[in-house]
Amino acid sequence: QKEVEQDPGPLSVPEGAIVSLNCTYSNSAFQYFMWYRQYSRKGPELLMYTYSSGNKEDGRFTAQVDKSSKYISLFIRDSQPSDSATYLCAMHSSASKIIFGSGTRLSIRP
Amino acid sequence: ETGVTQTPRHLVMGMTNKKSLKCEQHLGHNAMYWYKQSAKKPLELMFVYSLEERVENNSVPSRFSPECPNSSHLFLHLHTLQPEDSALYLCASSPSGNEQFFGPGTRLTVL
C-alpha cells in the first residue's frame, strides 16, 4: 500500500463549479499537510499548509484534514480556468521526510 | 517566482556525457533538496542538504552526485545516465523542513 494515495484524474469541471480534490494516507503519525499547485512546465507552488486536523481557508481555497479517517481535501470555490493545473498533496511528521501524492490533473472548462 | 532558480531549463544528453544541473536560492533558507518527477509518479526525494551538509541520500544511483558549496547553491552532477533517468528534476529550499519552495525544474532527456 502506498503511503499517500491520490486519484490522478483528469478531473474536468465547468467554470464556477466547486472542486473537491482528495488524498488518503496510511501513516497516522503525519501531522503536517500541504497542497501544491503545479502548472505545466513549472515547479510546484505551495497553496495551503495545515497542521493537525480541521479546516483552513484562504480566499477561494479551503483545506480540510480528517486525521481519524486519514483523509485530506482541498476545495476550490468559484473555479476559474486559471485554476487548471495539477494539484499535489504532501504530508509528513516531525520525524519523517515529506511524502507527495502523484497529483490530480484538473481542467476548468470556460 | 519563488526565489529558487534552476539552470538549464532543458537538457538533452547522451548516455556517455557529463553534465551538471544548478540551483540557486535567495531566500536565506537552510535546507535544499533535489527531487525527481516522472510522469504519473509522485515526486521522488533524491537528496537533502541542511546547512550545507548532506543529511539524506535516498538510495540514489551513484551516477547522480550532488554538491552544496554554500547555503545558496546546489548542484547535481550527472554522468553515464540511462534513458530511464529522463524526467523533470526539481530543486527546492525550505526555512524549516516543513514548507518547501520549488524552482521551475530542469527537463532532462537522456538519449
Side-chain angles (χ1 to χ4, degrees):
Chain A
Q1 184 190 8
K2 288 183 191 173
E3 278 195 279
V4 178
E5 298 269 6
Q6 185 175 11
D7 187 333
L11 179 62
S12 178
V13 302
E15 185 175 355
I18 295 175
V19 175
S20 171
L21 303 166
N22 312 294
C23 286
T24 58
Y25 61 94
S26 57
N27 188 342
S28 57
F30 286 148
Q31 302 166 285
Y32 302 92
F33 303 92
M34 289 151 279
W35 285 96
Y36 285 84
R37 177 177 61 197
Q38 186 173 19
Y39 290 116
S40 182
R41 299 187 187 87
K42 296 273 180 84
E45 166 197 10
L46 182 65
L47 267 183
M48 301 285 281
Y49 176 71
T50 55
Y51 171 71
S52 197
S53 278
N55 289 4
K56 182 175 181 179
E57 193 172 316
D58 184 1
R60 296 184 295 110
F61 298 89
T62 300
Q64 195 172 75
V65 175
D66 181 347
K67 290 190 74 179
S68 61
S69 303
K70 299 194 189 74
Y71 189 88
I72 68 170
S73 300
L74 177 71
F75 298 97
I76 307 174
R77 289 185 300 281
D78 187 26
S79 55
Q80 308 292 311
S82 58
D83 296 326
S84 298
T86 296
Y87 289 80
L88 306 165
C89 64
M91 54 198 76
H92 69 108
S93 69
S94 55
S96 74
K97 63 186 181 188
I98 294 178
I99 306 293
F100 285 83
S102 52
T104 299
R105 195 150 53 93
L106 172 67
S107 174
I108 309 295
R109 307 188 301 269
Chain B
E1 294 300 324
T2 62
V4 180
T5 59
Q6 288 186 245
T7 54
R9 294 293 307 276
H10 301 273
L11 178 62
V12 179
M13 58 188 288
M15 288 192 282
T16 57
N17 291 157
K18 285 186 183 181
K19 296 284 184 185
S20 295
L21 310 185
K22 180 182 175 183
C23 175
E24 197 169 340
Q25 59 100 357
H26 303 284
L27 302 168
H29 293 168
N30 293 327
M32 295 186 78
Y33 308 76
W34 279 117
Y35 285 89
K36 177 183 178 183
Q37 189 175 37
S38 305
K40 296 181 182 171
K41 283 188 173 181
L43 282 169
E44 297 172 47
L45 179 63
M46 299 174 74
F47 301 104
V48 181
Y49 276 83
S50 178
L51 296 171
E52 300 153 44
E53 255 191 67
R54 191 192 309 183
V55 296
E56 188 150 351
N57 175 348
N58 256 15
S59 304
V60 180
S62 59
R63 56 187 185 268
F64 295 92
S65 172
E67 180 190 0
C68 187
N70 56 60
S71 59
S72 299
H73 294 86
L74 185 65
F75 294 89
L76 187 63
H77 304 299
L78 316 171
H79 64 101
T80 58
L81 294 193
Q82 305 297 310
E84 61 264 28
D85 296 322
S86 299
L88 182 68
Y89 288 84
L90 290 160
C91 172
S93 70
S94 176
S96 62
N98 294 333
E99 313 122 281
Q100 297 196 358
F101 296 82
F102 286 86
T106 295
R107 173 69 61 186
L108 174 68
T109 303
V110 181
L111 301 175

